[in-house]
Amino acid sequence: MSIRNIRTLGDEELRKNAKPVKEMTERTANLIEDMLDTMYLAGGVGLAAPQVGILKRIVVIDIGEGPVVLINPQIIETDGEQTGMEGCLSLPGKRAVVTRPNHVVVKALDKNMEAFTLEGEELMARAICHECDHLDGIMYVDKMEGELMDVPENEDEE
Ligand code: ZN
């Protein structure tokens, strides 16, 4: 396992468009493992490849229900609305209020490059939207309502 360096806001790579993954290579498989390790070590619920400086359309998410890997994800349906606090491993110690759909359906490829569809509600829907945004160079600060806030020290980051 290796832990990758997480880029923080201001890093150019975070603002670029990531490219679709065409085939699963050993290199890409290793990247996915490293992304999961890096996300768990940092205590996040999601991580997108551009956050570790790799411009590929890969996202990993774990909201406490086990790891999910989304390759070339496309959100195909959104429903409802939720307004709440959002954080990002690229802005450590910060959070802000962001409104997202409450329900999303995403189409993606898994680690074996097999297509699948995933539905997410609430935190999962928020995580999918947030991580997919990273693939298009979008950060939550672009969508936040009000100011960035500091996460109190006795609270875990999202
Ligand atoms: Zn993020």
Side-chain angles (χ1 to χ4, degrees):
M1 106 173 189
S2 50
I3 298 302
R4 308 259 178 148
N5 189 29
I6 300 178
R7 309 293 178 103
T8 51
L9 188 66
D11 189 298
E12 284 183 3
E13 302 303 290
L14 289 172
R15 292 311 199 163
K16 292 181 182 165
N17 264 311
K19 294 190 179 67
V21 176
K22 292 198 183 98
E23 54 171 353
M24 186 49 57
T25 59
E26 203 184 321
R27 206 183 158 90
T28 301
N30 286 338
L31 167 67
I32 292 169
E33 289 309 309
D34 289 355
M35 284 173 64
L36 284 164
D37 292 338
T38 303
M39 173 183 76
Y40 288 128
L41 185 74
V45 300
L47 188 71
Q51 290 182 276
V52 293
I54 308 288
L55 293 174
K56 287 183 179 168
R57 302 189 81 82
I58 303 172
V59 154
V60 296
I61 295 172
D62 190 339
I63 60 162
E65 296 173 353
V68 176
V69 176
L70 302 174
I71 299 172
N72 302 342
Q74 270 186 290
I75 294 173
I76 53 173
E77 233 181 272
T78 63
D79 246 303
E81 211 177 77
Q82 57 173 320
T83 298
M85 286 292 181
E86 198 163 308
C88 178
L89 292 177
S90 293
L91 284 90
K94 299 286 180 189
R95 63 183 181 183
V97 174
V98 183
T99 297
R100 300 279 189 185
N102 198 49
H103 178 255
V104 307
V105 182
V106 65
K107 199 173 80 174
L109 302 176
D110 67 14
K111 280 187 286 187
N112 304 312
M113 300 298 274
E114 309 258 357
F116 72 107
T117 303
L118 177 76
E119 285 191 52
E121 302 250 332
E122 297 173 3
L123 178 57
M124 190 61 182
R126 179 177 293 281
I128 291 168
C129 293
H130 176 115
E131 300 309 332
C132 288
D133 273 356
H134 275 300
L135 304 179
D136 295 323
I138 299 165
M139 306 281 292
Y140 79 86
V141 292
D142 305 337
K143 299 185 166 179
M144 66 183 180
E145 295 151 34
E147 300 284 303
L148 263 186
M149 291 170 262
D150 291 319
V151 176
E153 281 195 13
N154 57 350
E155 253 184 76
D156 284 337
E157 277 181 62
E158 269 186 21

